[in-house]
């Protein structure tokens, strides 16, 4: 009888699984902008590890403290067990029977990005990494951006509540921790109070507005002047008569070409400060050329989080900016 029940149970399980052969992956884990490198200790302590650390360790522009583009940790292949395979970003690198470079998504967990890079010799492995280093960094950063955007999408605010977004014909994926500071119909200022760790006295902020497009050739050169003018008009300090946000005068911002919603844009990273006060922090600014509507649209995120690293906060603001849709 027991034998019959056992067979019946197995048969029932098999029938219930029929037509549903998908493998359910566990959730991945890992901090933003962090990569686990699976490599032999000799490779990690040698030229391969040196190249990885130098490449991933390039400093993020505009942050007050030096912070690497990607943080790394290393584990030997024989330690790459089930627990470690749950990491969200993984680089598996070393020698192999042939030169190869490829990417797998959701190999052991979800969401997950695993980059495989093998060379016939250590020298070939280093050369192959150098060839693909920018691509590898972009792959990991893009994966983290998508992951954050998906997380924010789960608690997305109804952005039709903001007059400025409606008037400008813009939509954004904003998570529900943001609160309105100002929404005039022409200028929007949102704030997310940071509630964890030492940064709980700080905030992430978003401002958004548009200006007429007068001369496309001078847009990039006028970004600092425009943000200083907007800061004086809309972002006061504790004494509005003498204090307002400006671009930090001792630090020259860095500007790069970008694309937002298929449109030409400029990404500017730098530091802000409050004139005649001691408040300061990093900002990321996207100035977008909207030829169809003969205007420029400005999205800026800035962080105030004294005494803590700010890479992750700015990265979250970048992720939000890149969800922008323009009518």
């Amino acid at each position: 009888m027991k034998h019959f029940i056992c067979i019946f149970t197995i048969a029932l399980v098999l029938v219930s699984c029929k037509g549903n052969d998908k493998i359910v992956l566990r959730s991945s884990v890992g901090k933003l902008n962090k990569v686990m490198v699976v490599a032999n200790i000799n490779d990690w302590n040698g030229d391969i590890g040196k190249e990885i650390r130098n490449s991933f360790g390039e400093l993020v522009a505009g942050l007050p403290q030096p912070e690497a583009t990607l943080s790394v940790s290393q584990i030997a292949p024989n330690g790459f067990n089930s627990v470690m395979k749950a990491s969200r970003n993984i680089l598996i690198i070393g020698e192999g029977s042939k030169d190869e470079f490829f990417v797998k998504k959701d190999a052991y967990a979800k969401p997950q990005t695993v980059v495989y890079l093998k060379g016939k010799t250590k020298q070939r492995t280093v050369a192959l990494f150098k060839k693909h280093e920018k691509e590898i960094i972009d792959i990991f950063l893009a994966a983290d951006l998508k992951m954050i955007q998906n997380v924010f999408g789960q608690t997305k605010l109804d952005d039709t509540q903001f007059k400025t977004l409606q008037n400008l014909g813009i939509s954004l994926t904003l998570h529900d921790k943001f609160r309105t500071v100002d929404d005039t119909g022409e200028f929007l200022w949102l704030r997310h109070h940071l509630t964890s760790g030492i940064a709980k006295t700080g905030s992430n902020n978003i401002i958004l507005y548009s200006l007429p497009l007068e001369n496309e050739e001078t847009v990039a050169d006028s970004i600092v002047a425009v943000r200083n003018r907007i800061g004086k008009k809309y972002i006061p300090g504790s004494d509005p008569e003498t204090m307002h946000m400006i671009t930090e005068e001792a630090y020259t911002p860095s500007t790069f070409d970008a694309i937002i919603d298929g449109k030409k844009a400029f990404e500017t990273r730098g530091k802000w400060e409050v004139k005649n006060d001691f408040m300061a922090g990093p900002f990321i600014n996207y100035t977008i050329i909207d030829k169809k509507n003969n205007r420029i649209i400005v999205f800026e995120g800035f962080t105030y989080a004294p005494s803590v690293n700010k890479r992750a906060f700015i990265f979250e603001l970048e992720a939000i900016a890149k969800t922008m849709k323009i009518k």
Side-chain angles (χ1 to χ4, degrees):
M1 183 66 178
K2 289 182 178 178
H3 180 66
F4 172 79
I5 292 174
C6 181
I7 294 175
F8 177 77
T9 303
I10 293 172
L12 183 63
V13 170
L14 291 175
V15 169
S16 66
C17 292
K18 187 177 180 179
N20 185 20
D21 56 356
K22 293 183 179 179
I23 297 174
V24 179
L25 293 172
R26 57 186 162 167
S27 297
S28 60
V29 296
K31 294 182 178 179
L32 275 177
N33 305 149
K34 183 168 184 178
V35 178
M36 174 181 288
V37 180
V38 182
N40 291 320
I41 190 65
N42 290 337
D43 289 341
W44 183 247
N45 291 333
D47 291 340
I48 293 174
K50 179 180 178 182
E51 289 298 331
I52 293 171
R53 290 189 292 274
N54 287 343
S55 178
F56 290 4
E58 184 176 348
L59 299 183
V60 178
L63 298 181
Q65 296 103 337
E67 296 188 63
T69 300
L70 292 169
S71 302
V72 294
S73 61
Q74 177 267 340
I75 189 166
N78 59 8
F80 188 48
N81 55 30
S82 177
V83 174
M84 297 303 174
K85 286 179 179 179
S87 298
R88 191 172 63 251
N89 295 322
I90 301 172
L91 169 62
I92 299 176
I93 189 168
E95 294 179 67
S97 59
K98 61 180 180 179
D99 292 351
E100 57 182 346
F101 165 67
F102 59 94
V103 180
K104 280 188 178 180
K105 291 290 189 179
D106 305 339
Y108 311 106
K110 186 177 182 179
Q112 185 181 64
T113 300
V114 185
V115 174
Y116 296 83
L117 192 147
K118 302 284 184 180
K120 291 182 180 180
T121 64
K122 283 182 170 59
Q123 291 75 21
R124 287 294 306 153
T125 304
V126 170
L128 199 60
F129 178 79
K130 285 183 176 180
K131 178 182 177 180
H132 294 285
E133 61 180 337
K134 185 180 185 306
E135 182 181 355
I136 292 170
I137 290 172
D138 288 345
I139 286 169
F140 285 128
L141 292 178
D144 274 358
L145 277 174
K146 184 177 180 181
M147 183 274 296
I148 285 198
Q149 289 167 347
N150 288 340
V151 170
F152 289 171
Q154 294 172 13
T155 59
K156 183 182 184 297
L157 284 175
D158 177 8
D159 55 19
T160 63
Q161 67 184 283
F162 303 113
K163 292 186 296 183
T164 301
L165 294 184
Q166 291 302 294
N167 290 347
L168 298 182
I170 291 171
S171 66
L172 289 169
T173 299
L174 297 159
H175 63 74
D176 61 3
K177 298 297 190 296
F178 277 99
R179 299 292 181 265
T180 303
V181 179
D182 199 3
D183 184 13
T184 68
E186 297 179 346
F187 175 83
L188 177 66
W189 180 2
L190 303 173
R191 176 177 291 153
H192 167 210
H193 288 286
L194 304 173
T195 57
S196 61
I198 196 170
K200 62 186 177 181
T201 59
S203 63
N204 252 6
N205 297 263
I206 290 171
I207 58 174
L208 194 142
Y209 54 93
S210 74
L211 298 168
L213 176 60
E214 297 175 350
N215 184 349
E216 185 176 337
E217 300 302 318
T218 63
V219 169
D221 294 332
S222 64
I223 290 172
V224 171
V226 168
R227 75 175 308 277
N228 286 344
R229 188 169 74 245
I230 293 296
K232 184 175 183 179
K233 183 176 181 179
Y234 289 108
I235 310 177
S238 56
D239 180 359
E241 296 298 322
T242 61
M243 300 176 181
H244 60 269
M245 177 184 281
I246 60 172
T247 307
E248 184 176 303
E249 296 176 344
Y251 181 91
T252 302
S254 300
T255 298
F256 314 90
D257 291 337
I259 299 292
I260 298 291
D261 193 26
K263 297 172 177 59
K264 179 180 178 180
F266 298 100
E267 175 186 294
T268 302
R269 294 173 180 261
K271 301 175 187 175
W272 61 271
E273 62 183 357
V274 175
K275 186 176 182 179
N276 299 322
D277 201 356
F278 296 102
M279 293 183 69
F283 72 83
I284 183 167
N285 175 297
Y286 288 96
T287 298
I288 305 142
I289 297 175
D290 181 14
K291 287 186 178 181
K292 176 184 175 182
N293 296 299
N294 196 35
R295 62 181 179 173
I296 61 173
I297 294 170
V298 180
F299 173 106
E300 181 167 314
F302 63 94
T303 297
Y304 177 64
S307 305
V308 297
N309 289 336
K310 301 166 183 64
R311 180 184 68 184
F313 299 138
I314 289 292
F315 193 78
E316 290 180 3
L317 294 169
E318 177 185 351
I320 293 170
K322 291 180 176 178
T323 66
M324 185 185 299
K325 300 296 180 185
I326 304 167
K327 294 180 181 178

